[in-house]
Amino acid sequence: MRNNRIFRRLAPIPALVAAALLTGCARNAPQDTFVPKGPNAEKIDNLQNIVFPMAGIVGVIVLVLAGYIFVKFKDKGQPIPSQAHGKPVVEITLTVIPALILTVVGVFTFRGVFDLAETRDTELIINVTGQQWWWEYDYPAQEKYGITQPIITSGQLVIPEKTKVLLRETSRDVIHSYWIPALNGKKDAVPGRIHLLRLEADQPGLYAGQCTEFCGLSHANMRMEAVALSEADFAKWVANQQRAYAPPASGLAKEGETVFLNQCVRCHQVNGLKKTDGTPAIAQPEQNVYSGAAPNLSHLMSRNTFAGAMFDLVTEKCRKDIWGASSAEFGATYLEGVTEDCLNQNDLRAWLRNAPAMKPMYADPTKLGASGGKYRGMPNLGLTEDDIDKLVAYLLTLK
Amino acid sequence: MFTNGSKYYLGLSVVSAIVGVAYMVLVNPNDLGALALFVLATAAGTVAGFSLFIRDGEVATAAEAIEAARRAPGASIWPIVTALGAATVLVGLATVPAWFIIGIAVFCAGGLEWMIQGWAERASADERWNEEVRTRIIGGLEFPGLAAVVLVLIAYAFSRIMLNASKNGATVIFMIVATVVLIIGSLVAVRPGFRGRSLATVVTAGSVVLLVAGVASAFAGEREELTKAAKEDHFSAEHRECGPEKSKYWDKHANNTVSLRSAVIATVTVENGEVYAQAVGLQTKVGSISVPRSNPVALMFRNKDEKEYRLTVNLGTQEVAQTGVKEEKKDCTQLTGKNQEQILLLKITKPAENPDEPYTLTVPGLKGEIKVIVP
């Protein structure tokens, strides 16, 4: 009878444990920390494989013992047992065992930390700057990779496969944290500091990431994707990014360029774009945006995402084609860029129509005393449908 | 259980909290109105707690109330402290804002103490209980508050002494003070008899000496080189000294601060008459440095040659206040001797507009330039 009662009381426990385990299951989990896709993430995974089981076993032992003690010695009105002090054998044992465990964990951890901090054999450097709520990537000139002029992009970090890439991270406003779980651990991007993070991908493909330091209203929408290309495809990507600006000759796209010059260039730079008088159109985000920067839209349509990688520039079908491409085909599929058929018109038009409605931002400067009346994010520009048509046509030319 | 007063304030607190939540949901969660309502709820809740604790200040019987009210108020220092605070507030309004803040703090502290003492003296006819209840309410704040004030005064006085003494003198004073503290601490540890009145006398005497010396030092001012360094205003944004060196007293070790060194994006080195740059993370020499727009970054300038050099960043030209006159826009480090380093902070808001005037880094007196590119 008593056993039945105990059994009934303990019955929910296996169900709870099973439920907890089920929360770890997922079919599509691009940010799974246990599936490394590069040597740096592999080092972390190897460390986890040692530390997690050890910590798990210790945790289970402690919890089971604590539970046993709670049940066995609960107050039933019995007299307080005699109190004993000073058991050298027990005390030494309980000191030595944790010390040994921590020593083993410490040795592997320190080795891993120093391995991950290695930068002397870096092959490619990229400056990564975080701001509310997107990431900017600029590639300083590096002859080895054919980068003769700095390349600037956002949303997607493009790297060559099997290459030791060093990210030099900083921030323009608050603390952010850069994390592509498949390629390495996370590293904070702090204003006024430059932190180094090494990435390396084993094979071509797309690797998803997420800002992991709470950075304000749209922190959850501050995403990123690393795109690894073969060496040959990376060279093609570099060549395309350095291609001179080609203004649209005529038609809707040409009219869109004028709208862009009147509206967008206040914050967004397109390298090579010139004003009607022939002088360079230089964006002045420092006068309008709190962080002092807005995404550079040169070669926008060579990317797959926009608005801090929150929205796809390509339709769902095209996105599936890119994400699902084999390693051998991935480069060619990605480098195709955004074609007119693949363009995600819905989200892009909705964004141009009213950006703050698509992504939470502090886009009303009248309520922003603390930022000196400057935007944090893109405001609603009040564009007409006609303007939006023209702009979409123009943006499509930015390949 | 609940007194009349506490019921009122509890009700006010609960209603304010409910309205606050409703305001957040219905109006604007980020508005000051919601904040004000929650502050009101908290304040009313606190007063309700007070009312419960002191039973609305009601004594048990009318006779007891008459007895409590008949007693003359005891001697108190708090009216003087409060008046001193009010006077300091006025002085602060007319002079330095810091005095205004100090005055507010003194005024509030004095007023609070005065109020609690005034209430406690009439809390009941039992003087012992009155004293006990006063201690229970305010005693927990008095000693930490007093300790904080004394610590601030001592730290401030000591800092004035160290800033007034010469460099060597300050070192000697520091050693003497440290030794005295160590000796007193050792005596306290090994001689239990030293702890009572003797220790109090020594600590009081030491504190008085420190305060007197601190006040005297504050009036005497800082030592000469510090005063002159302040006049040089070397680190201000307006300070431009890319020509012959004039500053003499500025802090030459300021470049060693961790915060500056942690933002270095590239090093520029002079070696055997050659100027070259290396981007952090790459071992090779580079002909250009990429600087993120609108974000401060640091360049490390390192001189390995005998002669002194400085690093200059040339940022094109700019018009002087719509006069049509153009002046060169540049910044630089101070002259840097052999095997010395200096930091040059850069914050560039936009790319070079004129292709004929690219941003560059040069070392006057040496050939070669490094391009600074703002993508």
Side-chain angles (χ1 to χ4, degrees):
Chain A
M1 188 70 181
R2 185 169 176 273
N3 283 345
N4 280 345
R5 200 166 60 238
I6 292 171
F7 180 77
R8 275 203 304 277
R9 281 184 185 173
L10 297 179
I13 292 178
L16 285 173
V17 172
L21 288 173
L22 281 172
T23 58
C25 300
R27 281 173 59 201
N28 180 20
Q31 296 185 46
D32 191 337
T33 53
F34 290 97
V35 187
K37 296 288 176 63
N40 298 294
E42 189 84 41
K43 283 171 190 156
I44 295 172
D45 191 54
N46 291 341
L47 187 62
Q48 288 181 148
N49 291 339
I50 296 168
V51 175
F52 277 16
M54 289 171 77
I57 291 167
V58 171
V60 168
I61 291 173
V62 170
L63 283 174
V64 168
L65 273 177
Y68 172 76
I69 290 166
F70 289 150
V71 175
K72 177 78 178 170
F73 300 108
K74 76 173 183 181
D75 184 11
K76 300 167 193 160
Q78 72 272 45
I80 294 173
S82 63
Q83 304 293 301
H85 297 281
K87 293 269 186 191
V89 175
V90 176
E91 286 170 9
I92 290 170
T93 308
L94 291 179
T95 305
V96 169
I97 291 174
L100 284 174
I101 293 171
L102 289 175
T103 304
V104 173
V105 170
V107 166
F108 287 104
T109 305
F110 275 106
R111 195 177 147 188
V113 166
F114 283 109
D115 281 352
L116 290 170
E118 180 59 66
T119 61
R120 283 171 296 185
D121 51 354
T122 295
E123 294 167 280
L124 173 69
I125 56 172
I126 302 170
N127 296 330
V128 177
T129 310
Q131 51 269 294
Q132 290 170 325
W133 292 272
W134 58 283
W135 294 94
E136 178 185 271
Y137 307 105
D138 83 74
Y139 300 63
Q142 289 159 90
E143 285 178 20
K144 184 182 172 187
Y145 292 94
I147 307 173
T148 52
Q149 286 293 316
I151 293 169
I152 185 161
T153 184
S154 60
Q156 286 185 319
L157 171 78
V158 181
I159 57 173
E161 64 163 338
K162 296 187 179 71
T163 301
K164 295 175 176 63
V165 179
L166 186 70
L167 305 187
R168 305 192 300 185
E169 297 177 20
T170 187
S171 165
R172 286 193 172 97
D173 39 37
V174 299
I175 299 176
H176 304 276
S177 189
Y178 196 87
W179 193 25
I180 307 278
L183 301 184
N184 202 341
K186 61 182 78 171
K187 183 79 85 176
D188 280 5
V190 181
R193 296 179 66 94
I194 290 173
H195 291 170
L196 304 177
L197 176 69
R198 175 73 73 78
L199 293 188
E200 186 176 348
D202 287 336
Q203 57 185 14
L206 265 161
Y207 305 97
Q210 168 75 47
C211 176
T212 49
E213 179 71 42
F214 180 71
C215 56
L217 193 59
S218 244
H219 161 66
N221 302 316
M222 189 173 171
R223 300 171 194 170
M224 56 275 212
E225 288 173 358
V227 180
L229 299 173
S230 67
E231 201 170 320
D233 285 335
F234 183 71
K236 286 179 193 167
W237 180 82
V238 167
N240 184 58
Q241 297 297 312
Q242 296 188 132
R243 201 161 41 82
Y245 174 73
S250 59
L252 206 59
K254 188 66 184 170
E255 292 176 43
E257 187 189 55
T258 308
V259 177
F260 191 91
L261 279 167
N262 291 337
Q263 293 279 359
C264 316
V265 87
R266 276 179 287 179
C267 296
H268 292 289
Q269 183 76 42
V270 169
N271 297 343
L273 175 64
K274 290 185 175 165
K275 291 188 269 193
T276 46
D277 62 2
T279 57
I282 303 290
Q284 295 187 313
E286 71 281 359
Q287 294 182 5
N288 303 303
V289 187
Y290 179 69
S291 67
N296 186 311
L297 300 184
S298 308
H299 309 287
L300 171 69
M301 292 297 158
S302 67
R303 309 167 200 168
N304 287 172
T305 63
F306 70 102
M310 185 181 175
F311 301 106
D312 292 319
L313 263 176
V314 290
T315 57
E316 197 175 344
K317 181 191 170 300
C318 294
R319 180 177 169 77
K320 276 182 183 166
D321 290 344
I322 296 166
W323 277 79
S326 66
S327 288
E329 295 169 342
F330 175 77
T333 317
Y334 179 76
L335 289 175
E336 214 172 291
V338 183
T339 60
E340 193 167 358
D341 293 339
C342 267
L343 180 64
N344 178 4
Q345 299 247 4
N346 287 343
D347 284 345
L348 184 58
R349 284 173 181 277
W351 179 261
L352 294 172
R353 202 171 285 126
N354 187 2
M358 299 282 285
K359 180 174 178 176
M361 296 180 286
Y362 302 114
D364 182 352
T366 60
K367 294 180 179 171
L368 293 176
S371 66
K374 291 181 179 174
Y375 301 107
R376 291 181 194 241
M378 182 161 151
N380 181 350
L381 295 170
L383 296 171
T384 63
E385 290 303 314
D386 194 35
D387 285 343
I388 291 171
D389 289 343
K390 292 171 184 170
L391 266 180
V392 170
Y394 171 65
L395 293 175
L396 254 174
T397 67
L398 301 177
K399 282 280 181 66
Chain B
M1 181 186 171
F2 291 102
T3 60
N4 288 338
S6 67
K7 282 178 195 168
Y8 169 73
Y9 283 110
L10 271 177
L12 182 61
S13 178
V14 171
V15 171
S16 306
I18 292 169
V19 176
V21 172
Y23 191 98
M24 283 179 71
V25 174
L26 300 173
V27 184
N28 185 353
N30 299 320
D31 201 273
L32 278 178
L35 181 66
L37 284 163
F38 284 118
V39 169
L40 177 62
T42 310
T46 308
V47 177
F50 263 113
S51 293
L52 273 174
F53 182 69
I54 62 172
R55 304 190 312 275
D56 285 356
E58 289 174 359
V59 290
T61 63
E64 208 176 348
I66 293 165
E67 176 62 26
R70 187 181 291 156
R71 206 173 298 125
S76 173
I77 194 175
W78 301 119
I80 298 173
V81 173
T82 310
L84 190 65
T88 312
V89 166
L90 293 175
V91 170
L93 280 171
T95 57
V96 186
W99 284 111
F100 175 76
I101 295 166
I102 292 170
I104 291 280
V106 173
F107 183 81
C108 291
L112 181 70
E113 287 276 8
W114 190 4
M115 187 179 75
I116 298 288
Q117 184 173 350
W119 164 78
E121 282 176 349
R122 286 166 176 75
S124 76
D126 184 348
E127 279 187 53
R128 195 182 298 168
W129 189 84
N130 291 352
E131 181 56 30
E132 188 188 324
V133 81
R134 194 200 82 85
T135 308
R136 278 165 65 185
I137 289 175
I138 201 75
L141 291 175
E142 277 179 342
F143 286 104
L146 193 62
V149 170
V150 170
L151 279 176
V152 166
L153 284 176
I154 287 176
Y156 186 75
F158 191 64
S159 71
R160 295 306 98 185
I161 294 168
M162 299 300 273
L163 289 170
N164 175 259
S166 67
K167 270 189 177 178
N168 291 336
T171 310
V172 172
I173 290 171
F174 198 92
M175 288 164 69
I176 290 172
V177 171
T179 309
V180 170
V181 171
L182 182 66
I183 290 170
I184 293 172
S186 305
L187 281 174
V188 171
V190 299
R191 294 229 173 144
F194 183 68
R195 285 176 196 170
R197 187 173 291 174
S198 314
L199 179 62
T201 308
V202 169
V203 169
T204 308
S207 302
V208 169
V209 168
L210 197 61
L211 285 173
V212 169
V215 170
S217 300
F219 278 109
E222 296 175 359
R223 60 176 170 269
E224 192 181 7
E225 64 258 37
L226 292 177
T227 315
K228 288 183 174 173
K231 277 184 186 165
E232 282 178 356
D233 201 15
H234 181 84
F235 295 106
S236 71
E238 292 75 29
H239 190 93
R240 291 280 180 275
E241 211 169 77
C242 294
E245 188 72 61
K246 287 177 190 164
S247 294
K248 189 179 172 186
Y249 295 96
W250 57 285
D251 181 4
K252 296 173 180 63
H253 301 296
N255 289 313
N256 291 327
T257 54
V258 175
S259 60
L260 279 177
R261 284 180 172 262
S262 63
V264 171
I265 199 162
T267 56
V268 178
T269 308
V270 169
E271 190 171 17
N272 300 324
E274 183 199 359
V275 185
Y276 62 87
Q278 285 176 296
V280 167
L282 283 181
Q283 304 299 314
T284 52
K285 296 174 183 176
V286 293
S288 66
I289 291 168
S290 183
V291 174
R293 183 192 271 236
S294 295
N295 215 22
V297 293
L299 294 175
M300 173 81 76
F301 177 55
R302 192 173 286 151
N303 180 15
K304 294 186 174 177
D305 282 2
E306 289 291 337
K307 201 176 166 189
E308 289 185 324
Y309 291 108
R310 73 168 90 246
L311 177 67
T312 302
V313 59
N314 308 289
L315 301 169
T317 55
Q318 64 181 5
E319 190 179 344
V320 182
Q322 298 176 329
T323 57
V325 179
K326 288 200 169 181
E327 66 171 3
E328 286 188 331
K329 194 177 170 189
K330 55 173 63 181
D331 202 352
C332 59
T333 66
Q334 295 303 312
L335 282 174
T336 309
K338 187 182 181 184
N339 292 329
Q340 290 181 344
E341 294 172 335
Q342 284 206 25
I343 296 282
L344 180 61
L345 270 178
L346 288 181
K347 184 177 179 184
I348 309 176
T349 53
K350 55 185 175 184
E353 291 186 36
N354 187 347
D356 298 331
E357 291 180 346
Y359 301 151
T360 59
L361 289 166
T362 52
V363 175
L366 293 176
K367 287 182 181 173
E369 64 178 25
I370 295 144
K371 284 183 184 165
V372 177
I373 300 171
V374 182

